[in-house]
Coordinates of all heavy atoms in Angstrom, one line a residue:
A429 N -83.0 24.7 -164.0 CA -82.2 23.5 -163.9 C -81.0 23.5 -164.8 O -80.9 24.4 -165.7 CB -83.1 22.3 -164.4
L430 N -80.1 22.6 -164.6 CA -78.9 22.5 -165.4 C -79.1 21.3 -166.3 O -80.0 20.5 -166.2 CB -77.7 22.2 -164.5 CG -77.4 23.3 -163.4 CD1 -76.2 22.9 -162.6 CD2 -77.1 24.6 -164.1
I431 N -78.2 21.3 -167.4 CA -78.3 20.2 -168.4 C -76.9 19.7 -168.7 O -76.0 20.5 -168.7 CB -79.1 20.7 -169.6 CG1 -79.4 19.5 -170.6 CG2 -78.3 21.8 -170.4 CD1 -80.4 19.8 -171.7
I432 N -76.8 18.4 -168.9 CA -75.6 17.8 -169.3 C -75.6 17.7 -170.9 O -76.5 17.1 -171.5 CB -75.4 16.4 -168.7 CG1 -75.2 16.6 -167.2 CG2 -74.1 15.7 -169.3 CD1 -75.2 15.3 -166.4
T433 N -74.5 18.3 -171.5 CA -74.5 18.3 -172.9 C -73.8 17.0 -173.5 O -73.2 16.2 -172.7 CB -73.7 19.5 -173.5 OG1 -72.3 19.3 -173.2 CG2 -74.1 20.8 -172.8
D434 N -73.8 16.8 -174.8 CA -73.2 15.6 -175.4 C -71.7 15.6 -175.3 O -71.1 14.6 -175.8 CB -73.8 15.3 -176.8 CG -73.4 16.5 -177.7 OD1 -72.6 17.4 -177.4 OD2 -74.0 16.5 -178.9
E435 N -71.1 16.6 -174.7 CA -69.7 16.5 -174.5 C -69.3 15.6 -173.3 O -68.1 15.4 -173.0 CB -69.1 17.9 -174.2 CG -69.0 18.8 -175.5 CD -68.9 20.2 -175.2 OE1 -67.7 20.6 -174.9 OE2 -69.9 21.0 -175.2
C436 N -70.3 15.2 -172.5 CA -70.1 14.3 -171.4 C -69.3 13.1 -171.7 O -69.6 12.4 -172.8 CB -71.5 13.9 -170.8 SG -71.4 12.6 -169.5
I437 N -68.3 12.8 -170.9 CA -67.5 11.6 -171.1 C -67.8 10.4 -170.2 O -67.0 9.5 -170.0 CB -66.0 12.0 -171.0 CG1 -65.7 12.6 -169.6 CG2 -65.5 12.9 -172.1 CD1 -64.2 12.8 -169.3
N438 N -69.0 10.5 -169.5 CA -69.4 9.4 -168.7 C -68.4 9.1 -167.6 O -68.2 7.9 -167.2 CB -69.8 8.2 -169.5 CG -71.0 8.4 -170.3 OD1 -72.0 8.9 -169.9 ND2 -70.9 8.0 -171.6
C439 N -67.8 10.1 -167.0 CA -66.8 9.8 -166.0 C -67.4 9.5 -164.6 O -66.7 9.0 -163.8 CB -65.8 11.0 -165.9 SG -66.6 12.4 -165.0
D440 N -68.6 9.9 -164.4 CA -69.4 9.5 -163.2 C -69.0 10.3 -161.9 O -69.5 10.0 -160.9 CB -69.1 8.0 -162.9 CG -70.0 7.5 -161.8 OD1 -71.2 7.8 -161.7 OD2 -69.5 6.8 -160.9
V441 N -68.2 11.3 -162.1 CA -67.8 12.1 -160.8 C -69.0 13.0 -160.3 O -69.1 13.3 -159.2 CB -66.5 12.9 -160.9 CG1 -65.4 12.0 -161.3 CG2 -66.7 14.1 -161.9
C442 N -69.9 13.4 -161.2 CA -70.9 14.3 -160.8 C -72.0 13.6 -160.0 O -72.6 14.2 -159.1 CB -71.5 15.0 -162.0 SG -72.2 14.0 -163.3
E443 N -72.4 12.4 -160.4 CA -73.5 11.8 -159.9 C -73.6 11.7 -158.3 O -74.6 12.1 -157.7 CB -73.7 10.3 -160.4 CG -75.0 9.7 -160.2 CD -75.0 8.4 -159.6 OE1 -74.1 7.6 -160.0 OE2 -75.7 8.2 -158.6
P444 N -72.5 11.3 -157.7 CA -72.6 11.2 -156.2 C -72.5 12.6 -155.5 O -72.9 12.7 -154.4 CB -71.3 10.4 -155.8 CG -70.4 10.5 -157.0 CD -71.3 10.6 -158.2
E445 N -72.2 13.6 -156.3 CA -72.1 15.0 -155.7 C -73.4 15.7 -155.6 O -73.6 16.7 -154.9 CB -71.1 15.9 -156.5 CG -69.7 15.4 -156.6 CD -69.1 15.3 -155.2 OE1 -69.4 16.1 -154.3 OE2 -68.2 14.4 -155.0
C446 N -74.4 15.2 -156.4 CA -75.7 15.9 -156.5 C -76.5 15.7 -155.2 O -76.9 14.5 -154.9 CB -76.5 15.4 -157.7 SG -78.1 16.2 -157.8
P447 N -76.8 16.7 -154.5 CA -77.6 16.6 -153.2 C -79.1 16.2 -153.4 O -79.7 15.8 -152.5 CB -77.5 18.0 -152.6 CG -77.3 18.9 -153.7 CD -76.5 18.1 -154.7
N448 N -79.5 16.4 -154.7 CA -80.9 16.1 -155.0 C -81.1 14.7 -155.7 O -82.2 14.4 -156.1 CB -81.5 17.2 -155.8 CG -81.5 18.5 -155.1 OD1 -82.0 18.6 -154.0 ND2 -81.0 19.6 -155.8
E449 N -80.0 14.0 -155.9 CA -80.1 12.8 -156.7 C -80.8 13.0 -158.0 O -81.6 12.2 -158.4 CB -80.7 11.7 -155.9 CG -79.9 11.3 -154.6 CD -80.5 10.1 -153.8 OE1 -81.5 9.5 -154.2 OE2 -79.9 9.8 -152.8
A450 N -80.4 14.1 -158.6 CA -81.1 14.4 -159.9 C -80.3 13.9 -161.1 O -80.8 13.9 -162.2 CB -81.1 16.0 -160.1
I451 N -79.1 13.4 -160.8 CA -78.2 12.9 -161.9 C -78.2 11.4 -162.0 O -78.0 10.7 -161.0 CB -76.8 13.4 -161.8 CG1 -76.7 15.0 -161.7 CG2 -75.9 12.9 -162.9 CD1 -75.4 15.6 -161.4
T452 N -78.4 10.9 -163.2 CA -78.4 9.4 -163.4 C -77.7 9.1 -164.7 O -77.6 10.0 -165.6 CB -79.8 8.8 -163.5 OG1 -80.6 9.6 -164.5 CG2 -80.6 8.9 -162.2
P453 N -77.1 7.9 -164.8 CA -76.5 7.5 -166.1 C -77.7 7.3 -167.1 O -78.6 6.5 -166.9 CB -75.8 6.2 -165.8 CG -75.9 6.0 -164.3 CD -77.0 6.8 -163.8
G454 N -77.6 8.0 -168.2 CA -78.7 7.8 -169.2 C -78.3 6.7 -170.2 O -77.3 6.0 -169.9
D455 N -78.9 6.6 -171.3 CA -78.6 5.6 -172.3 C -77.2 5.9 -172.9 O -76.5 5.0 -173.1 CB -79.7 5.6 -173.4 CG -81.0 5.1 -172.9 OD1 -81.0 4.4 -171.9 OD2 -82.0 5.3 -173.5
E456 N -77.0 7.2 -173.2 CA -75.7 7.5 -173.9 C -74.8 8.3 -173.0 O -73.6 8.0 -172.9 CB -76.0 8.4 -175.1 CG -77.0 7.8 -176.1 CD -76.3 7.1 -177.2 OE1 -75.3 7.5 -177.6 OE2 -76.9 6.1 -177.7
I457 N -75.3 9.3 -172.3 CA -74.5 10.1 -171.4 C -75.3 10.3 -170.1 O -76.5 10.0 -170.0 CB -74.2 11.5 -172.0 CG1 -75.5 12.2 -172.5 CG2 -73.2 11.4 -173.1 CD1 -75.4 13.6 -173.0
Y458 N -74.7 10.9 -169.1 CA -75.4 11.2 -167.9 C -76.5 12.3 -168.1 O -76.4 13.1 -169.0 CB -74.4 11.7 -166.8 CG -73.7 10.5 -166.1 CD1 -72.9 9.7 -166.8 CD2 -74.0 10.2 -164.8 CE1 -72.3 8.5 -166.2 CE2 -73.5 9.1 -164.2 CZ -72.6 8.2 -164.9 OH -72.1 7.1 -164.3
E459 N -77.5 12.2 -167.3 CA -78.7 13.0 -167.5 C -79.1 13.7 -166.1 O -78.9 13.1 -165.1 CB -79.9 12.2 -168.0 CG -79.7 11.7 -169.4 CD -80.8 10.7 -169.8 OE1 -81.6 10.3 -169.0 OE2 -80.8 10.4 -171.0
I460 N -79.6 14.9 -166.2 CA -80.2 15.6 -165.1 C -81.7 15.7 -165.2 O -82.2 16.1 -166.2 CB -79.6 17.0 -165.0 CG1 -78.1 17.0 -164.7 CG2 -80.3 17.8 -163.9 CD1 -77.4 18.3 -164.7
D461 N -82.4 15.2 -164.1 CA -83.8 15.4 -164.1 C -84.2 16.8 -163.7 O -83.9 17.2 -162.6 CB -84.4 14.4 -163.1 CG -85.9 14.5 -162.9 OD1 -86.5 15.4 -163.5 OD2 -86.5 13.6 -162.3
P462 N -84.7 17.6 -164.6 CA -85.0 19.0 -164.3 C -86.0 19.2 -163.2 O -86.0 20.2 -162.5 CB -85.5 19.6 -165.7 CG -85.9 18.4 -166.5 CD -85.1 17.2 -166.0
A463 N -86.8 18.2 -162.9 CA -87.7 18.3 -161.8 C -87.1 18.2 -160.5 O -87.6 18.6 -159.5 CB -88.8 17.2 -161.9
K464 N -85.8 17.7 -160.5 CA -85.1 17.5 -159.2 C -83.9 18.5 -159.0 O -83.4 18.6 -158.0 CB -84.6 16.1 -159.1 CG -85.6 15.0 -158.9 CD -85.0 13.7 -158.7 CE -86.0 12.6 -158.5 NZ -85.3 11.3 -158.5
C465 N -83.5 19.1 -160.1 CA -82.3 20.0 -160.1 C -82.7 21.4 -159.6 O -83.5 22.1 -160.2 CB -81.7 20.1 -161.5 SG -80.3 21.3 -161.6
T466 N -82.1 21.8 -158.4 CA -82.3 23.1 -157.9 C -81.0 24.0 -158.2 O -80.9 25.0 -157.6 CB -82.5 23.1 -156.4 OG1 -81.3 22.6 -155.7 CG2 -83.7 22.2 -156.0
E467 N -80.1 23.5 -159.0 CA -78.9 24.2 -159.3 C -78.1 24.3 -158.0 O -77.3 25.2 -157.7 CB -79.0 25.5 -160.0 CG -79.8 25.3 -161.3 CD -80.0 26.6 -162.1 OE1 -79.4 27.6 -161.8 OE2 -80.9 26.6 -163.0
C468 N -78.4 23.4 -157.0 CA -77.8 23.3 -155.7 C -78.3 24.4 -154.7 O -77.8 24.5 -153.6 CB -76.3 23.2 -155.7 SG -75.7 21.5 -156.1
I469 N -79.3 25.2 -155.2 CA -79.9 26.2 -154.3 C -80.5 25.4 -153.1 O -81.2 24.4 -153.3 CB -81.0 27.0 -155.0 CG1 -80.4 27.8 -156.2 CG2 -81.8 27.8 -154.1 CD1 -79.8 29.2 -155.7
G470 N -80.2 26.0 -151.9 CA -80.7 25.3 -150.7 C -79.7 24.4 -150.1 O -79.8 24.1 -148.9
H471 N -78.8 24.0 -150.9 CA -77.7 23.0 -150.4 C -76.3 23.7 -150.4 O -75.6 23.6 -149.4 CB -77.7 21.8 -151.2 CG -78.9 20.9 -151.2 ND1 -79.1 20.1 -150.1 CD2 -79.9 20.8 -152.0 CE1 -80.3 19.4 -150.4 NE2 -80.8 19.8 -151.5
Y472 N -76.0 24.3 -151.5 CA -74.6 24.8 -151.6 C -74.6 26.2 -152.4 O -75.6 26.5 -153.0 CB -73.7 23.8 -152.5 CG -73.6 22.5 -151.8 CD1 -74.3 21.4 -152.4 CD2 -72.7 22.3 -150.8 CE1 -74.1 20.1 -151.8 CE2 -72.6 21.0 -150.2 CZ -73.3 19.9 -150.7 OH -73.1 18.7 -150.2
D473 N -73.5 26.9 -152.3 CA -73.4 28.2 -153.0 C -73.3 28.0 -154.5 O -73.6 28.9 -155.2 CB -72.2 29.0 -152.4 CG -72.5 29.4 -151.0 OD1 -73.6 29.5 -150.6 OD2 -71.5 29.7 -150.3
T474 N -72.7 26.9 -154.9 CA -72.5 26.7 -156.3 C -72.9 25.3 -156.7 O -72.9 24.4 -155.9 CB -71.0 26.8 -156.7 OG1 -70.2 25.9 -155.9 CG2 -70.5 28.2 -156.5
P475 N -73.3 25.1 -157.9 CA -73.7 23.7 -158.4 C -72.5 22.7 -158.3 O -71.5 23.0 -158.9 CB -74.2 23.9 -159.8 CG -74.5 25.3 -160.0 CD -73.5 26.0 -159.0
Q476 N -72.7 21.7 -157.5 CA -71.6 20.8 -157.2 C -71.1 20.0 -158.4 O -70.0 19.7 -158.6 CB -72.0 19.9 -156.1 CG -72.3 20.6 -154.8 CD -71.1 21.4 -154.3 OE1 -70.1 20.9 -153.8 NE2 -71.1 22.7 -154.4
C477 N -72.1 19.7 -159.3 CA -71.7 18.9 -160.5 C -70.8 19.8 -161.4 O -69.8 19.3 -162.0 CB -72.9 18.4 -161.3 SG -74.0 19.7 -161.8
V478 N -71.1 21.1 -161.5 CA -70.4 22.0 -162.3 C -68.9 22.1 -161.8 O -68.0 22.1 -162.5 CB -71.0 23.4 -162.4 CG1 -70.1 24.4 -163.2 CG2 -72.4 23.3 -163.1
E479 N -68.8 22.1 -160.4 CA -67.5 22.2 -159.8 C -66.6 21.0 -160.1 O -65.4 21.2 -160.3 CB -67.7 22.2 -158.2 CG -68.4 23.5 -157.7 CD -67.5 24.7 -157.8 OE1 -66.3 24.5 -157.5 OE2 -68.0 25.8 -158.1
V480 N -67.2 19.8 -160.2 CA -66.4 18.6 -160.4 C -66.2 18.2 -161.9 O -65.3 17.4 -162.2 CB -66.9 17.4 -159.5 CG1 -66.8 17.8 -158.1 CG2 -68.3 17.0 -159.9
C481 N -67.1 18.6 -162.7 CA -67.1 18.1 -164.1 C -65.8 18.5 -164.8 O -65.5 19.6 -164.9 CB -68.3 18.6 -164.9 SG -68.3 18.0 -166.6
P482 N -65.0 17.4 -165.3 CA -63.7 17.7 -165.9 C -63.8 18.3 -167.3 O -62.8 18.9 -167.7 CB -63.0 16.3 -165.9 CG -64.2 15.4 -166.0 CD -65.3 16.0 -165.2
V483 N -64.9 18.3 -167.9 CA -65.0 18.8 -169.3 C -66.0 20.0 -169.4 O -66.3 20.4 -170.5 CB -65.4 17.7 -170.3 CG1 -64.3 16.7 -170.4 CG2 -66.7 17.0 -169.9
D484 N -66.4 20.5 -168.2 CA -67.3 21.7 -168.2 C -68.5 21.5 -169.2 O -68.7 22.4 -170.0 CB -66.5 22.9 -168.6 CG -65.7 23.4 -167.5 OD1 -66.0 23.2 -166.3 OD2 -64.6 24.1 -167.7
C485 N -69.2 20.4 -169.1 CA -70.3 20.2 -170.0 C -71.7 20.3 -169.3 O -72.7 19.7 -169.7 CB -70.2 18.9 -170.7 SG -70.4 17.5 -169.6
I486 N -71.8 21.2 -168.2 CA -73.1 21.3 -167.5 C -73.5 22.7 -167.4 O -73.4 23.4 -166.4 CB -73.0 20.6 -166.1 CG1 -72.3 19.3 -166.2 CG2 -74.4 20.4 -165.6 CD1 -72.1 18.6 -164.8
P487 N -74.1 23.3 -168.5 CA -74.6 24.7 -168.5 C -76.0 24.7 -167.9 O -76.6 23.7 -167.6 CB -74.6 25.0 -169.9 CG -74.9 23.8 -170.7 CD -74.2 22.7 -169.8
K488 N -76.6 25.9 -167.8 CA -78.0 26.1 -167.4 C -78.8 25.6 -168.6 O -78.4 25.7 -169.8 CB -78.3 27.5 -167.2 CG -77.8 28.0 -165.8 CD -78.1 29.5 -165.7 CE -77.6 30.1 -164.4 NZ -78.4 29.9 -163.2
D489 N -79.9 24.9 -168.3 CA -80.8 24.3 -169.3 C -81.7 25.4 -169.9 O -82.5 26.0 -169.2 CB -81.6 23.2 -168.7 CG -82.5 22.5 -169.7 OD1 -82.7 23.0 -170.8 OD2 -83.1 21.5 -169.3
P490 N -81.5 25.8 -171.2 CA -82.3 26.9 -171.8 C -83.8 26.6 -171.8 O -84.6 27.5 -171.9 CB -81.7 27.1 -173.2 CG -81.0 25.8 -173.5 CD -80.5 25.2 -172.1
D491 N -84.1 25.3 -171.7 CA -85.6 24.9 -171.7 C -86.2 24.9 -170.3 O -87.4 24.6 -170.2 CB -85.7 23.5 -172.4 CG -85.4 23.5 -173.8 OD1 -85.7 24.6 -174.5 OD2 -84.9 22.5 -174.4
H492 N -85.3 25.0 -169.3 CA -85.8 25.1 -167.9 C -85.1 26.2 -167.2 O -84.4 26.0 -166.2 CB -85.5 23.7 -167.2 CG -86.3 22.6 -167.8 ND1 -85.8 21.7 -168.8 CD2 -87.6 22.1 -167.6 CE1 -86.7 20.8 -169.1 NE2 -87.8 21.1 -168.4
V493 N -85.4 27.4 -167.6 CA -84.8 28.6 -167.0 C -85.6 28.9 -165.7 O -86.9 29.0 -165.8 CB -84.8 29.8 -167.9 CG1 -84.3 31.1 -167.2 CG2 -84.0 29.5 -169.2
E494 N -85.0 29.1 -164.6 CA -85.6 29.3 -163.3 C -84.8 30.4 -162.5 O -83.6 30.4 -162.6 CB -85.7 28.1 -162.5 CG -86.5 27.0 -163.1 CD -86.1 25.6 -162.7 OE1 -85.0 25.1 -163.0 OE2 -86.9 24.9 -162.0
N495 N -85.5 31.2 -161.8 CA -84.8 32.2 -160.9 C -84.6 31.6 -159.6 O -85.1 30.5 -159.3 CB -85.6 33.5 -160.9 CG -86.9 33.4 -160.2 OD1 -87.1 32.5 -159.4 ND2 -87.9 34.3 -160.6
E496 N -83.9 32.3 -158.7 CA -83.5 31.8 -157.4 C -84.7 31.4 -156.6 O -84.7 30.4 -155.9 CB -82.6 32.8 -156.7 CG -81.8 32.2 -155.5 CD -80.7 33.1 -155.0 OE1 -80.1 33.9 -155.8 OE2 -80.4 33.0 -153.8
E497 N -85.7 32.3 -156.7 CA -86.9 32.0 -155.9 C -87.6 30.7 -156.3 O -88.0 29.9 -155.4 CB -87.9 33.2 -156.1 CG -89.0 33.3 -155.1 CD -89.9 34.4 -155.3 OE1 -89.5 35.5 -155.9 OE2 -91.1 34.3 -155.1
Q498 N -87.7 30.5 -157.6 CA -88.3 29.3 -158.1 C -87.5 28.0 -157.7 O -88.0 27.0 -157.3 CB -88.4 29.3 -159.6 CG -89.5 30.3 -160.1 CD -89.4 30.6 -161.6 OE1 -88.3 30.8 -162.1 NE2 -90.5 30.4 -162.3
L499 N -86.2 28.2 -157.7 CA -85.3 27.1 -157.4 C -85.4 26.8 -155.9 O -85.4 25.6 -155.5 CB -83.8 27.4 -157.8 CG -83.6 27.4 -159.3 CD1 -82.2 28.0 -159.6 CD2 -83.7 26.0 -159.9
M500 N -85.5 27.8 -155.1 CA -85.7 27.6 -153.6 C -87.0 27.0 -153.3 O -87.1 26.1 -152.4 CB -85.5 29.0 -152.9 CG -85.5 28.9 -151.4 SD -84.2 27.8 -150.7 CE -82.9 29.0 -150.6
D501 N -88.0 27.4 -154.1 CA -89.3 26.8 -153.9 C -89.3 25.3 -154.2 O -89.9 24.4 -153.5 CB -90.3 27.5 -154.8 CG -91.8 27.1 -154.6 OD1 -92.1 27.2 -153.4 OD2 -92.5 26.8 -155.5
K502 N -88.6 24.9 -155.3 CA -88.4 23.5 -155.6 C -87.7 22.8 -154.5 O -88.0 21.6 -154.2 CB -87.6 23.4 -157.0 CG -87.7 22.0 -157.6 CD -86.7 21.8 -158.7 CE -87.0 22.7 -159.9 NZ -86.0 22.5 -161.0
Y503 N -86.6 23.4 -154.0 CA -85.9 22.8 -152.9 C -86.8 22.5 -151.7 O -86.7 21.4 -151.2 CB -84.8 23.8 -152.4 CG -84.2 23.4 -151.1 CD1 -83.3 22.4 -151.0 CD2 -84.5 24.2 -150.0 CE1 -82.7 22.1 -149.7 CE2 -84.0 23.9 -148.7 CZ -83.1 22.8 -148.6 OH -82.6 22.5 -147.4
H504 N -87.7 23.4 -151.4 CA -88.6 23.2 -150.2 C -89.5 22.0 -150.5 O -89.9 21.2 -149.7 CB -89.3 24.4 -149.9 CG -88.4 25.4 -149.2 ND1 -87.8 25.1 -148.0 CD2 -88.1 26.7 -149.5 CE1 -87.1 26.2 -147.6 NE2 -87.3 27.2 -148.5
K505 N -90.0 22.0 -151.8 CA -90.9 20.9 -152.1 C -90.2 19.5 -152.1 O -90.8 18.5 -151.7 CB -91.5 21.2 -153.5 CG -92.6 22.2 -153.5 CD -93.3 22.4 -154.8 CE -94.4 23.4 -154.7 NZ -94.4 24.4 -155.7
L506 N -89.0 19.5 -152.6 CA -88.2 18.2 -152.6 C -87.9 17.7 -151.2 O -87.9 16.5 -151.0 CB -87.0 18.4 -153.4 CG -87.1 18.5 -154.9 CD1 -85.8 18.9 -155.6 CD2 -87.5 17.2 -155.5
T507 N -87.6 18.7 -150.3 CA -87.2 18.3 -149.0 C -88.3 18.2 -148.0 O -88.2 17.7 -146.9 CB -86.1 19.3 -148.4 OG1 -86.6 20.6 -148.5 CG2 -84.8 19.2 -149.2
G508 N -89.5 18.6 -148.5 CA -90.7 18.5 -147.7 C -90.7 19.3 -146.4 O -91.1 18.9 -145.4
Ligands
SF4_1356 FE1 -70.4 13.7 -167.7 FE2 -69.3 15.8 -166.5 FE3 -70.9 14.2 -165.1 FE4 -68.4 13.4 -165.9 S1 -68.9 15.1 -164.5 S2 -70.4 12.2 -166.0 S3 -68.3 14.4 -167.9 S4 -71.5 15.5 -166.8

């Protein structure tokens, strides 16, 4: 999964781009639900939030490291 760091400026451009609806406005900054984030595997070649974020504050989440196979598995579970 990916994670939004505290450099987020709450610009809101990433939220509508997420195909998994994993991004929501949190209390302070936008947040990614790691259970829903496939890093856009199954949908796109690159993570769409990373593409649009103006401040580059969406790295891979070190607490939720997953390989491509695991992310694809999550995609299949989410899409049923
Ligand atoms: Fe925050 Fe980046 Fe999303 Fe804007 S695009 S809300 S700065 S994470």
